[in-house]
Amino acid sequence: MKKLKLTEDWTATIIGGFVILLGIILYASLGYTVSWPTFKWSTGNELLSNVLTIKNFINIFIVFIVSYDLLLIADVLQGKPMSSVKGFPLLFVLTIIAMIIGGNSIMNYWGLETVIFCLFIGLVINNFFGTPQWIKGCLSSEMYVKIGLIFLGSTIIFQDIMQAGALGLIQSVVVVFSVWYFSFWLCKKFNIDKEMSMMLSSAVSICGVSAAIATAGAIKGDSKKLSYVVSLVLVVAVPMIIIMPALAKFLGLGEVMAGAWIGGTIDTTGAVAATGAVYGEEALKISTIVKFSQNVLLGIAAFLIAVYWSYTKKDGNEFADKPSLKVIWDRFPKFVIGFIMASLLFSFVIPTEQYKPVINELKKFQGLWFALGFTSIGLETNFRTLINKENRKATMVFLGAQTFNVVFTLIIAYLVFGIEWSKI
């Protein structure tokens, strides 16, 4: 019997869709929703009486069992060995510790969300002690966040996606092409080879890791260079999760503007979701939709890069993805389909008032899978990879291009989202 081997995007879409449908069926037939553990506390007494209780630990264990089973299904769908989930209990425990710390009212007051503590715990372990090899099989940060984003779709009305998505697409087209060109020009100034320039420019301008991988596939790029660009994207995203909300607050940006800016500048979908969540619910919604708008351009970008490479490469090497329209579909982020389907379901089919407990449950699962994703990012991120003489110039270019991205996208976000053109 042939093994299933679905992509991460399709896997996230199937898992997210399965949980949503199961939640609806269980609530409609039995009135059942998962008893979600509480993580909110203000004082030591509240921590002991509300969070660190037998009942709460039972609820945490139930959530663990559900999450573990979902990960097993995900691994089967992707054709991974069952042994890859053996590190998940530790990943889950570290995430729960971060959720308990993040549940403190003082942390909430200062805007220190759970995902920041997930990231911090992972970074400390990996950079000071080293992430154990046996846990690495379950560190699927992008998949965890994508599953969370499917759940997020159930809380966003479809009309909002259409409105913000249209504006986000306008912003994305302008930003992606401008930042890509600036980054490529900067690479030339620093005498960086064309292969690295293509991967680096795509990563900083479109959607980080996915864009770098898509570009490497289109030009048959060097795996070592790809690995470096991926590390660079993840490492630079970490401080941006903390800096961007603080900068947005300093500039006095509203949640819509801040979300548009965050979605257009941070390079990974997971980091965008985490940063948007830190700023507020509206910022999370807008930043996610804007990032999706950029993700949608990935297929077109991969196609154009494949065409460009085929006409400029002189050494006769074949490229992995020949320029055809199939490249656009192959590189299209399929989890966006799951996000939109979830939104359509709760916008037009399921009466939201009647199924509010289900939506609330999905929101909690969304937060958990985001948190798992960011503990994974911390455990995967090694700052030492950037302190390398060979890669110093590329690091400088990436930071220069990202600085341009931050400033330029703020201007475009203001023009697209900040001005009410109908009143002018």
Side-chain angles (χ1 to χ4, degrees):
M1 184 179 170
K2 196 178 176 183
K3 259 188 176 184
L4 276 171
K5 201 164 185 182
L6 297 182
T7 63
E8 190 178 83
D9 278 15
W10 279 124
T11 301
T13 301
I14 291 168
I15 294 294
F18 171 73
V19 172
I20 289 170
L21 291 176
L22 184 63
I24 291 168
I25 291 166
L26 287 174
Y27 185 73
S29 57
L30 304 171
Y32 174 80
T33 58
V34 172
S35 296
W36 201 262
T38 182
F39 299 104
K40 298 288 180 188
W41 59 283
S42 298
T43 64
N45 283 337
E46 282 187 16
L47 175 64
L48 292 171
S49 59
N50 293 344
V51 181
L52 304 180
T53 65
I54 298 295
K55 184 183 176 185
N56 211 42
F57 281 131
I58 290 170
N59 289 337
I60 289 171
F61 183 70
I62 291 168
V63 171
F64 165 73
I65 294 297
V66 172
S67 304
Y68 189 78
D69 288 343
L70 291 174
L71 190 59
L72 281 171
I73 296 168
D75 281 357
V76 169
L77 292 174
Q78 292 178 95
K80 288 184 179 180
M82 302 294 272
S83 60
S84 64
V85 301
K86 67 182 179 184
F88 184 73
L90 177 59
L91 176 67
F92 187 86
V93 168
L94 293 174
T95 302
I96 291 297
I97 291 169
M99 292 177 86
I100 291 172
I101 298 169
N104 179 254
S105 58
I106 297 171
M107 302 302 174
N108 296 162
Y109 175 79
W110 288 105
L112 298 172
E113 294 287 330
T114 292
V115 288
I116 292 175
F117 295 106
C118 291
L119 203 55
F120 180 74
I121 289 171
L123 286 170
V124 168
I125 291 171
N126 193 33
N127 287 273
F128 289 95
F129 308 102
T131 300
Q133 196 63 39
W134 53 270
I135 197 179
K136 289 184 178 179
C138 72
L139 301 182
S140 305
S141 54
E142 285 289 309
M143 189 187 71
Y144 294 143
V145 171
K146 286 169 184 175
I147 292 172
L149 289 169
I150 307 299
F151 299 146
L152 177 64
S154 65
T155 67
I156 297 178
I157 302 302
F158 188 72
Q159 289 87 336
D160 292 343
I161 295 177
M162 294 301 290
Q163 185 181 354
L167 294 174
L169 198 56
I170 294 167
Q171 174 182 306
S172 297
V173 169
V174 176
V175 166
V176 165
F177 285 100
S178 301
V179 174
W180 196 98
Y181 182 81
F182 178 83
S183 177
F184 197 73
W185 170 82
L186 207 55
C187 285
K188 265 188 174 180
K189 292 292 179 186
F190 278 77
N191 295 316
I192 292 171
D193 67 86
K194 194 173 277 189
E195 196 178 297
M196 174 67 94
S197 300
M198 299 283 275
M199 285 189 273
L200 197 146
S201 299
S202 297
V204 76
S205 62
I206 309 172
C207 53
V209 173
S210 300
I213 292 169
T215 301
I219 66 175
K220 203 175 184 182
D222 186 302
S223 60
K224 285 184 181 175
K225 291 175 183 175
L226 173 62
S227 177
Y228 166 72
V229 173
V230 168
S231 299
L232 188 57
V233 166
L234 293 174
V235 168
V236 172
V238 171
M240 288 188 76
I241 293 169
I242 299 162
I243 292 167
M244 289 293 287
L247 210 50
K249 280 182 182 174
F250 175 76
L251 294 170
L253 302 183
E255 286 200 28
V256 171
M257 259 290 293
W261 190 32
I262 289 164
T265 51
I266 296 181
D267 291 319
T268 68
T269 306
V272 165
T275 313
V278 169
Y279 207 78
E281 280 200 29
E282 188 70 12
L284 169 61
K285 181 175 80 176
I286 298 296
S287 63
T288 301
I289 293 170
V290 167
K291 179 49 70 178
F292 280 0
S293 302
Q294 280 190 332
N295 288 343
V296 167
L297 295 175
L298 178 56
I300 297 167
F303 173 74
L304 294 175
I305 287 166
V307 171
Y308 171 80
W309 196 252
S310 67
Y311 285 104
T312 57
K313 191 72 174 166
K314 302 296 182 188
D315 61 8
N317 286 344
E318 291 289 325
F319 40 82
D321 285 328
K322 295 187 177 182
S324 68
L325 292 177
K326 184 176 179 291
V327 174
I328 296 176
W329 170 248
D330 287 344
R331 299 303 177 190
F332 180 84
K334 311 301 189 301
F335 71 95
V336 173
I337 297 170
F339 175 87
I340 291 171
M341 292 297 289
S343 177
L344 283 169
L345 182 67
F346 283 92
S347 296
F348 301 111
V349 181
I350 301 295
T352 51
E353 280 304 314
Q354 189 180 332
Y355 282 83
K356 243 182 183 169
V358 177
I359 295 171
N360 290 336
E361 182 182 56
L362 292 172
K363 212 169 182 181
K364 300 275 176 54
F365 270 113
Q366 169 209 310
L368 172 67
W369 288 84
F370 279 178
L372 288 168
F374 273 81
T375 308
S376 297
I377 289 175
L379 290 167
E380 290 173 312
T381 303
N382 190 336
F383 286 113
R384 285 187 289 272
T385 56
L386 302 188
I387 310 167
N388 185 319
K389 199 173 181 182
E390 184 187 342
N391 296 323
R392 195 170 294 161
K393 283 199 297 185
T395 302
M396 288 172 66
V397 167
F398 189 90
L399 293 175
Q402 188 64 288
T403 302
F404 173 80
N405 187 12
V406 167
V407 175
F408 183 74
T409 304
L410 178 61
I411 296 166
I412 301 302
Y414 175 72
L415 292 174
V416 174
F417 284 87
I419 297 175
E420 294 186 51
W421 293 99
S422 58
K423 293 183 179 178
I424 296 177

